[in-house]
């Protein structure tokens, strides 16, 4: 079995101006130690308007937190008012880009096809795509969770070629668990993560499929992270609300202690 370094990503969503973002990342860095970064890959994804400020803090203070973005457009440049290209992000030392978050799928009508284009563009620009998949409550109650997740994943990876497992992470985020304080049962999340793992192996080959990290997201906090991380195919977390509080996020990163 592949040895996968846990990946814990803070998705700040549309929170924090650039001054607040600077404070948040500084506070987080005061709470983490060298050993924490050796055990876990830590990433924060602030809004676009804060990326440059956070990048400078991370660089100047030599803080080994990775910089992530929450979205991207697939074209390289051109008449796409309001959009941001992969190379604009990679120039800012962004290493991870969240793609297909359920809020983007639901509120901004992103389809599997768009998610696939974004994923390919992110990987093509040398960054890692964090592809989000997950079922709604209605779909779970209709016992369609597995089918929804595998369809979204197949759609996102259609035609994708990756050089290695670090180009990709998959976040399983049941929509009903996001921002609700109602996390999935770790056992259920573990089952879906196992299904995702099998699908990754079949689409990308067993070696890469074994190495890609599968994250859980949806009301993760310092109290429940350990139960998710105990599952064999869950390799990290995509954390929303709790990532806005540096104490809480640091405690999540230090889940082993
Ligand atoms: P939450 O959000 O932790 O606030 O539930 C998770 C996410 O949307 O990635």
């Amino acid at each position: 079995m592949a040895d996968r370094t846990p990946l814990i990503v803070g998705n700040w969503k549309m929170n924090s101006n650039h001054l607040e973002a600077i404070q948040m990342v500084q506070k987080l860095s005061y709470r983490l130690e060298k050993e924490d970064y050796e055990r876990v890959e830590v990433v924060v994804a602030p809004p676009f308007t804060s990326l440059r400020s956070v990048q400078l803090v991370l660089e100047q203070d030599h803080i080994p937190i990775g910089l992530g973005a929450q979205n991207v457009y697939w074209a390289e440049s051109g008449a796409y008012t309001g959009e941001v290209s992969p190379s604009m992000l990679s120039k800012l030392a962004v290493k991870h880009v969240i793609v297909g978050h359920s809020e983007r799928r639901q509120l901004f009508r992103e389809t599997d096809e768009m998610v696939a284009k974004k994923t390919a563009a992110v990987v093509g620009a040398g960054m890692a795509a964090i592809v989000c998949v997950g079922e709604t409550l209605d779909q779970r109650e209709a016992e369609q969770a597995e089918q929804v997740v595998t369809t979204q994943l197949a759609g996102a990876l259609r035609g994708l070629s990756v050089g290695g497992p670090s180009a990709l992470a998959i976040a399983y985020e049941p929509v009903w668990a996001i921002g609700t304080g109602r996390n999935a049962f770790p056992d259920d999340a573990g089952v879906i993560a196992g299904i995702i793992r099998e699908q990754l192996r079949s689409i990308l080959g067993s070696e890469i499929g074994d190495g890609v990290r599968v994250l859980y997201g949806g009301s993760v906090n310092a109290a429940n992270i350990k139960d998710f991380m105990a599952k064999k195919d869950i390799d990290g977390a995509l954390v929303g609300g709790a990532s806005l509080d540096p104490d809480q996020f640091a405690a999540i990163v230090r889940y082993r202690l």
Side-chain angles (χ1 to χ4, degrees):
M1 211 184 79
D3 197 10
R4 298 182 292 265
T5 304
L7 172 64
I8 296 191
V9 182
N11 172 13
W12 293 1
K13 309 193 179 183
M14 199 175 74
N15 295 291
S16 78
N17 60 43
H18 71 289
L19 300 172
E20 293 162 340
I22 289 170
Q23 286 193 341
M24 276 162 65
V25 78
Q26 278 173 334
K27 282 188 188 158
L28 177 61
S29 74
Y30 300 148
R31 286 158 179 74
L32 295 175
E33 324 226 333
K34 192 165 160 279
E35 299 77 57
D36 298 319
Y37 300 116
E38 284 164 6
R39 290 195 197 103
V40 171
E41 186 175 353
V42 185
V43 172
V44 294
F48 287 141
T49 48
S50 300
L51 285 174
R52 176 64 172 159
S53 310
V54 173
Q55 180 214 1
L56 289 176
V57 173
L58 296 177
E59 257 175 39
Q60 280 161 10
D61 297 347
H62 305 287
I63 302 169
I65 293 175
L67 190 56
Q70 299 173 19
N71 186 27
V72 69
Y73 191 65
W74 54 82
E76 189 41 46
S77 64
Y80 304 101
T81 302
E83 296 295 320
V84 167
S85 78
S87 64
M88 291 173 186
L89 296 177
S90 66
K91 262 282 183 229
L92 283 166
V94 166
K95 296 282 187 282
H96 292 83
V97 184
I98 299 169
V99 174
H101 190 280
S102 65
E103 285 152 17
R104 299 225 48 93
R105 292 179 190 261
Q106 289 196 322
L107 303 173
F108 304 101
R109 308 247 180 279
E110 281 192 14
T111 61
D112 285 343
E113 200 185 359
M114 292 161 79
V115 174
K117 286 183 180 172
K118 292 182 176 199
T119 303
V122 167
V123 172
M127 298 178 290
I130 301 173
V131 176
C132 303
V133 295
E135 80 286 358
T136 62
L137 190 56
D138 284 353
Q139 290 165 333
R140 170 149 289 258
E141 282 169 354
E143 297 186 358
Q144 292 166 349
E146 176 176 342
Q147 189 210 319
V148 169
V149 165
T150 52
T151 304
Q152 287 178 343
L153 188 58
L157 304 190
R158 188 159 299 132
L160 183 74
S161 70
V162 292
S166 60
L168 200 62
I170 309 301
Y172 168 55
E173 297 205 305
V175 177
W176 47 272
I178 295 177
T180 57
R182 183 182 163 198
N183 59 274
F185 291 115
D187 282 350
D188 293 345
V191 167
I192 300 279
I195 291 165
I196 291 174
R197 173 82 50 219
E198 273 319 303
Q199 199 181 358
L200 287 170
R201 286 166 55 93
S202 94
I203 296 175
L204 302 171
S206 52
E207 200 174 320
I208 293 182
D210 270 341
V212 170
R213 288 170 293 187
V214 178
L215 318 181
Y216 167 76
S219 297
V220 169
N221 59 37
N224 62 29
I225 179 74
K226 232 181 172 155
D227 295 336
F228 289 106
M229 295 306 289
K231 300 295 164 196
K232 124 174 133 38
D233 286 303
I234 297 182
D235 312 305
L238 182 55
V239 185
S243 72
L244 298 174
D245 173 358
D247 284 318
Q248 173 95 216
F249 191 59
I252 291 171
V253 169
R254 310 181 85 187
Y255 69 92
R256 279 205 187 88
L257 305 177

